[in-house]
Amino acid sequence: MSKFLLLFEQSYISKLKTKSFYITTLIMLLGITAFFMWPTISGWFSSNEKPVTITVADQTKGSAISYFKNNKKIIFKPAKQSVKQEEHRVVTGKVDALLILSLKSGSQLDAQLRTKKPFELNTQQILEEQVRSAGQLLTIQQLKLTADQAQRIIDQKTNLNQKVISPTADKGKSSQQKTTATIVSYAVALIIYLFVLSYLSIISSEIAAEKDSRIMEIIISSTSPIVHLLSRVCGVLALAMTQFTVLIGAALIMARVLQSGKYWHLISDLFSSLTAGYTVFAILFFFFACVLYTLLGAVLGSLVNKVQDVGQAVMPVTMVLMVGFFIAISGMSNPDTLLIKIFSFIPFTASMIMPMRIGATDMSLWQGFLSLVLLGLTIVGLFIFSLRFYRGSVLTYTNGSFIKKIKQAIQLSK
Amino acid sequence: MTLTIEHLTKRFQDFHAVDNLNFVAEQGEIFGLIGQNGAGKTTTFRMILNLLAPSSGTIKWADASVHTLNRDMIGYLPEERGLYPKMPVEDQLMFFGRLRGCSKAALKAEIDDWLERFYLSDKRKVLTETLSKGNQQKVQLIASLIHKPRLLILDEPFSGLDPVNAGLLKDAIVSLKKQGTVIIFSSHRMDHVEELCDHICLLKRGKSLFTGAIIDLKKQFGKINLTIRGPFDEMELSKIPGVVSVAKDKDMYRLLLSHENDAQPIFQMLTTDGFIERFSLDYLSLEELFKRKVASTLV
């Protein structure tokens, strides 16, 4: 136990003191700060931006132009001259664009834009929205409805209230709960992806460096290889959890302090709509994913001969992580697809996908349990497998495929 | 306390890395394990260290399995540098000492002592990667013996050391020997092996070609190494009966005789014209024996 603690301390403290740990933590903290300060930051950049001026040539007998509202991005002005003359003003740069409104087939609004240079995407989207809205209002006007009637059509919202009438079935979640869980699950998947990716490479490099420099031989001549493996896995996990705690802690403090606590209320509302079960599952999946990939990283690190080979060795694992993450993203629009269902049970991707299914679908909870058990069993299996060959793998310096190395390592471990 | 190796064999599928090895290293003895690269030295060390399991045979420490020996009582210096490059020297020694079960307080005094002995006191706070190759090797050696092991395994300890530092290292090894440590030692530098070791095991492709005292190996060949200095002609010397080969070494000639008994008639012949400056008959050096035995190369 004392040797485990010594190796754990050495692994944890030595990395905690490294400049790279401080720098990555600082960069992430800056990222979090930028997120919370975004309204202010974007204000700094957009305050100097001049809105575009669009002259509107209304050929709809003057009825459509009134639906275009000035905003931060666009100022609309009615055309005072002929279309040709207004086009000339665009070419000479006196105005940014000319919008020609006319009626197609007698009733449909047709809009044509003349610009000297293309608009930015954001401006383009705002203009498109205004044109669409103007088209709707014009149609309502043509139906000769009163303003109140038109407003009622536009504001009209119908809520679908779902009620499960089977006595044995779950009541189901509200769409609000599902949307919140989808957002939180996306964040969980992103955190798992980023953390696992960086710590996978940290542990692989550490073990490969110890093997390359033969320190490994000295250590395992003093204590069992398993103590070494566990101490390194726990050391790196502790480091990951330390960074995670620092970042979450900082994020919560910023949410409370910055922007008059606006984000704090947002986060409170977000979490209050999540069930306790979902939170427990998300935490367990996150932790299990860290354990699985750290262990996998240690095993891969023990199989390479040089630190330079680590990138190549962890590449397939990185690919699996990417697949899991992209499937999780695809689940944001529809978390009920067959693809999502299948990958939510595969232990290497389950941690990024299953929390989304638990929160954003009405699936039975036993599926979540099953996925978690499969993940746990994979960790146990990988640990037992690594017990069999870790001693041999750290002494294997031959070149060749991973399969060949694993076979040789198992033989050396006998 | 004695290290006894009996019929030790390690097979990797059809390849015999170590084949029926037998030797005994007594308490307070430096035992040399010598052989070319791939002879099986490191595999033998790894089996003694319990890093590899033998295919057959036994390794005993004081008549019990070597695995009953507390690992903290073993010291190991691997052939290649095994240090953390970004760790200061003092922390490095503290880490390896604690890994062998020593307390921080006990190690502090030992670290001071060893750093002073190896002229490294001013380097204690320095990162290991910034040290010269020789100084790194000294730190590595201190790390392997700071816990006062009862069994010390040194794989190529003199690699990268200049003569002054090699001398310091030899003194440290001899002082441990005097304290009763069993030291197993491998080196390609036969002069160091000859100087330090009492007994050796000469390995070739995993098999022992000779195991025993160095002097017994030398006696097998007899005193056939003749050095002479005088007004001789190389061609004439090579024609003398009993002379296998002649090599000019600056102002001397080194003659290899076919048998020790040939020396006396040669002496008579060379001194018939009177005084010669040097006539020295000796055993073959360990290096010459090594070449003869292992590489089957005549001097």
Side-chain angles (χ1 to χ4, degrees):
Chain A
M1 190 61 185
S2 64
K3 287 188 182 177
F4 170 82
L5 288 176
L6 176 71
L7 289 168
F8 168 80
E9 181 193 314
Q10 192 258 343
S11 183
Y12 176 63
I13 302 287
S14 66
K15 272 176 203 58
L16 199 65
K17 286 181 182 171
T18 55
K19 280 182 196 162
S20 60
F21 179 77
Y22 287 121
I23 291 168
T24 50
T25 310
L26 199 69
I27 289 172
M28 288 193 221
L29 282 175
L30 285 173
I32 294 169
T33 314
F35 173 77
F36 284 114
M37 295 291 290
W38 188 246
T40 314
I41 294 169
S42 64
W44 294 340
F45 293 104
S46 60
S47 60
N48 294 332
E49 274 180 26
K50 270 174 66 180
V52 294
T53 310
I54 300 177
T55 310
V56 182
D58 190 355
Q59 297 170 352
T60 63
K61 295 167 192 165
S63 51
I65 190 167
S66 57
Y67 302 128
F68 288 85
K69 306 281 178 223
N70 290 344
N71 55 63
K72 277 183 188 173
K73 288 271 181 186
I74 309 171
I75 292 172
F76 297 99
K77 284 181 179 171
K80 288 176 182 162
Q81 296 167 9
S82 69
V83 169
K84 263 207 164 153
Q85 282 168 321
E86 289 293 347
E87 276 179 347
H88 181 69
R89 290 185 71 210
V90 172
V91 175
T92 53
K94 285 182 180 154
V95 286
D96 296 302
L98 169 67
L99 182 68
I100 305 162
L101 302 174
S102 58
L103 290 173
K104 205 165 74 178
S105 318
S107 61
Q108 241 182 328
L109 184 67
D110 181 62
Q112 287 185 37
L113 191 68
R114 309 267 194 270
T115 60
K116 192 178 178 187
K117 57 182 181 184
F119 281 166
E120 286 174 5
L121 177 65
N122 189 230
T123 312
Q124 209 173 339
Q125 285 170 337
I126 292 170
L127 182 62
E128 277 170 6
E129 178 55 34
Q130 293 243 5
V131 169
R132 194 187 57 76
S133 169
Q136 281 179 344
L137 290 167
L138 193 70
T139 310
I140 290 168
Q141 193 192 39
Q142 285 165 349
L143 293 172
K144 305 210 183 306
L145 300 174
T146 63
D148 186 43
Q149 284 170 325
Q151 197 59 46
R152 278 175 62 193
I153 289 174
I154 291 166
D155 295 344
Q156 191 284 129
K157 269 184 190 170
T158 308
N159 292 322
L160 175 67
N161 292 315
Q162 179 180 293
K163 192 173 180 183
V164 179
I165 52 172
S166 161
T168 52
D170 198 335
K171 274 193 216 161
K173 299 179 184 84
S174 68
S175 72
Q176 168 66 27
Q177 278 179 315
K178 287 179 180 177
T179 310
T180 308
T182 307
I183 295 165
V184 174
S185 303
Y186 172 70
V188 170
L190 183 67
I191 291 170
I192 289 175
Y193 179 69
L194 293 177
F195 262 72
V196 165
L197 209 59
S198 55
Y199 283 94
L200 175 78
S201 135
I202 287 176
I203 191 159
S204 308
S205 303
E206 180 181 18
I207 290 184
E210 283 186 330
K211 182 181 170 184
D212 188 15
S213 67
R214 305 297 196 272
I215 293 173
M216 185 72 85
E217 288 185 30
I218 301 176
I219 295 174
I220 64 169
S221 73
S222 158
T223 185
S224 91
I226 294 313
V227 169
H228 176 265
L229 174 69
L230 281 177
S231 67
R232 292 313 185 221
V233 168
C234 292
V236 170
L237 272 177
L239 191 75
M241 292 308 143
T242 304
Q243 194 173 44
F244 182 69
T245 310
V246 168
L247 294 176
I248 293 292
L252 291 177
I253 291 168
M254 282 184 215
R256 184 107 212 188
V257 174
L258 299 175
Q259 307 287 333
S260 317
K262 184 175 87 181
Y263 287 104
W264 179 258
H265 297 299
L266 208 70
I267 291 171
S268 304
D269 291 347
L270 203 70
F271 278 91
S272 61
S273 64
L274 294 174
T275 61
Y278 172 81
T279 311
V280 171
F281 266 113
I283 291 170
L284 283 176
F285 272 109
F286 171 67
F287 184 71
F288 275 27
C290 288
V291 175
L292 175 71
Y293 281 101
T294 312
L295 192 58
L296 198 60
V299 169
L300 290 171
S302 76
L303 282 168
V304 300
N305 297 346
K306 301 221 164 280
V307 188
Q308 301 93 287
D309 300 338
V310 165
Q312 207 181 343
V314 299
M315 182 69 88
V317 185
T318 312
M319 297 297 229
V320 171
L321 265 170
M322 279 174 70
V323 167
F325 182 61
F326 286 120
I327 290 174
I329 291 176
S330 78
M332 285 191 75
S333 54
N334 182 5
D336 289 304
T337 61
L338 184 63
L339 186 77
I340 296 273
K341 282 176 187 167
I342 291 169
F343 277 85
S344 68
F345 287 102
I346 296 173
F348 294 96
T349 52
S351 50
M352 286 182 275
I353 299 167
M354 190 47 101
M356 182 173 285
R357 285 197 64 210
I358 295 169
T361 69
D362 294 314
M363 65 164 217
S364 312
L365 219 53
W366 67 263
Q367 293 190 36
F369 274 115
L370 178 64
S371 176
L372 200 63
V373 168
L374 285 174
L375 180 56
L377 286 175
T378 307
I379 293 171
V380 173
L382 184 64
F383 183 66
I384 292 168
F385 177 63
S386 58
L387 286 184
R388 276 195 66 199
F389 84 108
Y390 189 72
R391 178 196 295 267
S393 67
V394 294
L395 297 171
T396 306
Y397 295 97
T398 51
N399 293 317
S401 69
F402 262 34
I403 303 293
K404 192 179 157 193
K405 282 182 178 178
I406 289 171
K407 276 183 188 168
Q408 197 177 0
I410 290 172
Q411 203 191 6
L412 277 174
S413 301
K414 279 178 186 168
Chain B
M1 298 292 170
T2 306
L3 180 77
T4 309
I5 285 181
E6 287 174 337
H7 309 296
L8 188 67
T9 299
K10 181 68 190 176
R11 281 185 302 272
F12 297 111
Q13 285 163 335
D14 298 334
F15 173 68
H16 281 70
V18 175
D19 193 1
N20 196 28
L21 191 65
N22 295 279
F23 68 79
V24 177
E26 301 283 350
Q27 185 170 3
E29 179 184 343
I30 303 176
F31 188 93
L33 206 57
I34 57 176
Q36 290 170 293
N37 295 330
K41 303 185 294 287
T42 304
T43 305
T44 306
F45 287 155
R46 285 178 175 175
M47 284 191 282
I48 297 171
L49 289 165
N50 196 22
L51 302 182
L52 286 179
S55 302
S56 61
T58 56
I59 307 169
K60 287 181 179 170
W61 176 259
D63 294 329
S65 165
V66 76
H67 309 319
T68 59
L69 173 65
N70 185 342
R71 286 165 186 245
D72 294 344
M73 291 291 106
I74 301 176
Y76 175 46
L77 182 136
E79 185 177 355
E80 284 168 61
R81 223 73 70 218
L83 297 169
Y84 291 103
K86 302 278 180 201
M87 202 187 267
V89 170
E90 190 177 22
D91 295 357
Q92 193 108 229
L93 296 175
M94 190 63 86
F95 171 73
F96 283 113
R98 288 178 69 198
L99 195 64
R100 297 287 181 184
C102 294
S103 69
K104 273 187 179 178
L107 281 168
K108 232 172 161 24
E110 285 293 326
I111 290 170
D112 290 344
D113 181 41
W114 280 106
L115 288 180
E116 202 169 320
R117 278 167 80 168
F118 280 104
Y119 304 109
L120 288 169
S121 294
D122 58 330
K123 310 277 187 205
R124 62 168 64 228
K125 301 284 178 201
V126 165
L127 293 185
T128 311
E129 66 180 354
T130 63
L131 294 177
S132 68
K133 201 177 169 192
N135 280 341
Q136 284 189 32
Q137 183 69 349
K138 288 196 281 185
V139 173
Q140 182 83 76
L141 184 81
I142 299 172
S144 69
L145 50 75
I146 198 158
H147 57 292
K148 298 180 181 154
R150 284 155 75 185
L151 172 63
L152 177 63
I153 294 171
L154 304 171
D155 199 350
E156 295 291 340
F158 296 103
S159 133
L161 288 183
D162 59 52
V164 177
N165 283 322
L168 283 170
L169 203 121
K170 273 185 226 166
D171 293 345
I173 294 172
V174 170
S175 96
L176 274 173
K177 169 191 164 150
K178 284 178 184 163
Q179 289 169 33
T181 305
V182 175
I183 301 166
I184 313 286
F185 164 81
S186 90
S187 178
H188 290 119
R189 291 285 304 273
M190 294 303 144
D191 51 339
H192 291 143
V193 176
E194 198 162 359
E195 194 182 335
L196 288 168
C197 298
D198 307 295
H199 294 88
I200 59 163
C201 175
L202 225 151
L203 285 171
K204 185 177 181 181
R205 289 182 196 144
K207 281 190 178 165
S208 166
L209 297 180
F210 172 84
T211 304
I214 294 176
I215 190 67
D216 291 338
L217 177 64
K218 292 192 167 192
K219 281 178 181 170
Q220 278 186 9
F221 290 85
K223 292 178 178 171
I224 55 169
N225 194 8
L226 176 62
T227 310
I228 57 172
R229 189 192 291 129
F232 308 115
D233 177 67
E234 196 172 336
M235 281 295 282
E236 293 300 318
L237 288 172
S238 64
K239 287 175 186 164
I240 299 171
V243 174
V244 176
S245 66
V246 180
K248 196 166 189 316
D249 183 4
K250 293 175 188 166
D251 60 342
M252 294 184 293
Y253 291 98
R254 295 196 182 278
L255 279 66
L256 185 70
L257 309 183
S258 58
H259 196 272
E260 187 178 323
N261 297 341
D262 296 324
Q264 214 160 351
I266 292 171
F267 178 78
Q268 302 290 347
M269 190 188 298
L270 294 177
T271 53
T272 43
D273 293 336
F275 177 76
I276 62 167
E277 287 176 43
R278 181 170 178 174
F279 186 96
S280 163
L281 188 64
D282 209 341
Y283 293 111
L284 289 173
S285 69
L286 189 60
E287 188 163 346
E288 288 161 329
L289 288 167
F290 177 81
K291 285 176 183 168
R292 276 193 151 212
K293 274 271 187 190
V294 176
S296 309
T297 311
L298 286 172
V299 182

